Amino acid sequence: MSGPIHLFRPSFRVEEALAAIRECLECGWTGLGYKTVELEEAWCEYTALPHAHFLNSATAGLHLAVRLLRERHGWQDGDEVISTPFTFVSTNHALLYERLQPVFADIDEYLCLDPASIRERLTPRTRAVVFVGLGGSTGRLPEVASMCRERGLRLILDASHMAGTRLGGRHVGGEADVAVFSFQAVKNLPTADSGMVCFADAELDAECRKWTWLGINKDTYTRTHADGSYRWLYDVEHVGFKYHGNSIMAAIALVGLRYLDEDNLHRRRLAAWYDQALAGAPGVTTVPTPADCESSRHLYQVLVPERDRVMVGLNQREIYPGVHYRDNRSYRMYADRPGACPNVERASRSVISLPLHIGLGEADVRDIAHHLRAVVASLGGGRQ
Ligand SMILES: *Cc1c(COP(=O)(O)O)cnc(C)c1O
């Protein structure tokens, strides 16, 4: 590529996406139903997860995940959910929406929750764990999942980065009570805004569908009037939300899904080139991926000393990386949460997400790695 290199640049199959959107426009159906149903079926088939409900965002999905598990299991205000402070704030806002206490645990070398740290945070009020598959990595998810099973805790998987991630050959999500995926504009399966919530339990899946359309239940009347009269009549069971997805977003996602494996394969290739080009680079710490994890590679992250100055140096060379994430306790909202998380604090100061998107090739990666080494060396980082 010539010109500036950005962190993300979603590549849409424009003609195919437009054709799919055109179908919605021509038949006059852009809302809930039609393509949203098609996408839910395609997602279940792709992931082999039993249920999937399409939403207007992953944030909505995380909220519903917490809400429905809370109702089902009778959690009280102030009950605790162990989470990571090294995430996008949606993960933790979802707990606060439902008046639960996020209890922050530390991360491991994969930048995902460390099971040992989770164990230290368990109390009689712990109800669940939220695990974030950072950058598409599974980290120590299997260990966390078995800990949750043994202790009767619920497991919520924030799989916002994990569209297409497989573990031991199986798509992720099945190890959790609920998995939530994001198809937001810069995720690895981008639409504009949308997401998917996948409950393991059929009843919670059915329940969730009522909550995403203001608590409206059409089923009661279609069941009692088999001849189709009273089709316009419905009942409202809860103060639900306006969280469901629409057919335009689903049309874009259906096209993206066809290319997801191919795109993720290219992402993994880019990551492997980065690994090669940065091997042994003084001052640059790469992040490992578990051996049996086929990551979506939403991110390629490294840790460097003097991160902010490295960012400026790269920007001067027309390379624009990102930061995922700052310790959530650096935001006023979460500032007073207790619990030492030294690995989070270190990563928060030193993490960089290098450019990673399917418009990049091997030469770009070599180029970026070369500039990164040079910038770090010029700041004396190599001596640390
Ligand atoms: C993007 C993201 C979300 C929120 O996704 P939306 O679809 O934008 O609501 C939640 N968690 C993580 C880790 C994310 O990266």
Side-chain angles (χ1 to χ4, degrees), residues 118-146:
I118 295 175
R119 228 168 265 125
E120 287 170 10
R121 303 293 198 269
L122 295 170
T123 78
R125 291 200 79 176
T126 309
R127 301 289 174 254
V129 174
V130 190
F131 189 93
V132 178
L134 202 76
S137 174
T138 50
R140 291 191 168 81
L141 177 61
E143 200 181 323
V144 174
S146 43

Side-chain angles (χ1 to χ4, degrees), residues 71-322:
E71 294 228 324
R72 159 70 62 94
H73 298 283
W75 301 344
Q76 303 299 309
D77 283 6
D79 278 355
E80 297 169 5
V81 178
I82 297 176
S83 180
T84 172
F86 199 62
T87 184
F88 187 60
V89 287
S90 289
T91 317
N92 293 315
H93 278 16
L95 302 172
L96 294 183
Y97 293 156
E98 292 301 320
R99 299 173 305 284
L100 298 165
Q101 287 287 347
V103 172
F104 289 141
D106 208 359
I107 54 174
D108 57 18
E109 71 274 27
Y110 303 114
L111 309 182
C112 295
L113 273 184
D114 182 349
S117 180
I118 295 175
R119 228 168 265 125
E120 287 170 10
R121 303 293 198 269
L122 295 170
T123 78
R125 291 200 79 176
T126 309
R127 301 289 174 254
V129 174
V130 190
F131 189 93
V132 178
L134 202 76
S137 174
T138 50
R140 291 191 168 81
L141 177 61
E143 200 181 323
V144 174
S146 43
M147 189 196 316
C148 288
R149 268 194 307 274
E150 281 160 24
R151 294 173 192 259
L153 303 173
R154 308 275 66 87
L155 177 58
I156 298 167
L157 180 62
D158 182 342
S160 292
H161 300 174
M162 301 182 105
T165 290
R166 293 185 179 82
L167 182 60
R170 295 176 57 169
H171 198 283
V172 287
E175 42 304 84
D177 292 278
V178 54
V180 181
F181 297 87
S182 176
F183 310 137
Q184 186 267 344
V186 300
K187 297 285 155 67
N188 69 311
L189 174 47
T191 59
D193 264 313
S194 61
M196 196 72 89
V197 64
C198 303
F199 282 97
D201 180 87
E203 275 174 39
L204 287 179
D205 173 69
E207 187 66 14
C208 151
R209 287 164 198 273
K210 297 175 199 163
W211 281 96
T212 60
W213 189 37
L214 301 154
I216 290 173
N217 181 356
K218 271 198 153 182
D219 295 350
T220 30
Y221 291 93
T222 45
R223 248 187 281 115
T224 45
H225 301 273
D227 63 350
S229 60
Y230 292 97
R231 249 190 309 204
W232 48 270
L233 198 56
Y234 55 74
D235 193 10
V236 182
E237 296 185 13
H238 330 269
V239 185
F241 305 102
K242 176 71 180 178
Y243 277 174
H244 66 78
N246 67 63
S247 285
I248 302 292
M249 292 302 116
I252 300 173
L254 277 162
V255 173
L257 183 54
R258 277 183 230 144
Y259 293 94
L260 183 59
D261 283 340
E262 184 185 323
D263 288 357
N264 286 350
L265 181 64
H266 187 62
R267 291 169 169 281
R268 285 194 295 279
R269 240 183 256 135
L270 292 168
W273 289 324
Y274 269 126
D275 280 342
Q276 275 170 22
L278 292 171
V284 179
T285 306
T286 56
V287 177
T289 306
D292 49 353
C293 170
E294 196 179 295
S295 171
S296 64
R297 271 297 175 180
H298 176 56
L299 300 174
Y300 184 89
Q301 299 181 288
V302 293
L303 307 174
V304 294
E306 295 198 76
R307 188 265 318 283
D308 298 0
R309 291 176 70 198
V310 171
M311 291 290 273
V312 172
L314 288 171
N315 291 171
Q316 282 164 352
R317 293 161 185 245
E318 293 206 297
I319 297 167
Y320 298 95

